[in-house]
Amino acid sequence: MQHSFNWNAVAFFLDLTARNKFAREHDFAFCRVSGLEGFEEALAHLQSDTAFVCVSDISQGYTELNNTPHTRRVKTVFLAMRHAIDNMTARDRCMETMRELFRQFMSKLILEQTKLQENCIYLDPRISFQEIDRYFFSGCACAYFQIAVDTYTDLRFNEEEWNNE
């Protein structure tokens, strides 16, 4: 019996972005991206939107072969806010806004963690938050955080999956 990874980070953060008052107040738009290259495509839309929550639909990870085999998937969430070019005060305000949005998202993630554990899905309690330096994209403050999710992986050998040679 295969146990599959079933936490949908894209749907979770889409819902958070839509329902969070702070995100709505600061006009955060949600988008789905495929890694950093897809994030750069989202930034091209900054003419019409001023702030983004972008969730990558790809993940990094590994499978652990110890006594309790499990698979770890790391999901990345990017935050971005447009500001006046070369205005470090405006950039600092954007960074503060993104830090607060991160804090509010984490307050909901704590509740989600309990629900996930009931289905043997475990969030790593350490969630990294990285601010991207000012040269990443001119006129845009950017940050990202990563969430590692572990699920049990059934690695029992199954003869039926193999050809006998």
Side-chain angles (χ1 to χ4, degrees):
M1 175 179 152
Q2 282 295 99
H3 187 279
S4 61
F5 175 81
N6 60 5
W7 184 59
N8 188 334
V10 173
F12 179 75
F13 285 101
L14 170 65
D15 181 62
L16 288 189
T17 304
R19 295 188 316 118
N20 181 265
K21 292 177 183 179
F22 188 79
R24 300 283 24 105
E25 178 184 315
H26 289 88
D27 298 320
F28 277 89
F30 178 86
C31 63
R32 182 179 180 159
V33 298
S34 292
L36 191 55
E37 289 156 5
F39 177 69
E40 289 172 355
E41 290 174 23
L43 290 176
H45 297 276
L46 281 174
Q47 299 306 317
S48 58
D49 293 310
T50 59
F52 282 101
V53 172
C54 303
V55 178
S56 182
D57 59 7
I58 60 173
S59 61
Q60 301 166 337
Y62 59 84
T63 298
E64 182 88 23
L65 301 177
N66 286 328
N67 296 333
T68 54
H70 64 275
T71 298
R72 172 165 280 204
R73 298 281 181 250
V74 180
K75 301 301 283 185
T76 303
V77 180
F78 300 98
L79 303 175
M81 290 187 76
R82 188 174 64 194
H83 61 80
I85 294 176
D86 295 329
N87 183 336
M88 291 306 287
T89 302
R91 181 182 184 283
D92 289 343
R93 281 194 305 270
C94 289
M95 292 305 262
E96 284 300 320
T97 299
M98 291 186 299
R99 289 178 195 124
E100 177 57 21
L101 184 61
F102 172 74
R103 187 200 65 77
Q104 290 187 25
F105 279 6
M106 292 305 101
S107 73
K108 286 293 279 186
L109 196 59
I110 288 173
L111 300 175
E112 181 76 357
Q113 179 179 19
T114 302
K115 291 180 203 173
L116 291 173
Q117 286 175 352
E118 293 171 0
N119 294 307
C120 298
I121 300 171
Y122 301 95
L123 297 178
D124 188 321
R126 184 176 181 194
I127 298 173
S128 64
F129 182 83
Q130 301 291 320
E131 296 175 0
I132 300 173
D133 71 29
R134 64 187 176 121
Y135 301 109
F136 175 70
F137 189 83
S138 184
C140 189
C142 302
Y144 67 94
F145 57 96
Q146 296 183 303
I147 300 169
V149 182
D150 294 324
T151 58
Y152 168 75
T153 305
D154 186 352
L155 294 178
R156 291 176 291 180
F157 177 77
N158 181 346
E159 185 83 32
E160 294 176 10
E161 296 174 340
W162 299 89
N163 290 327
N164 291 330
E165 293 182 28

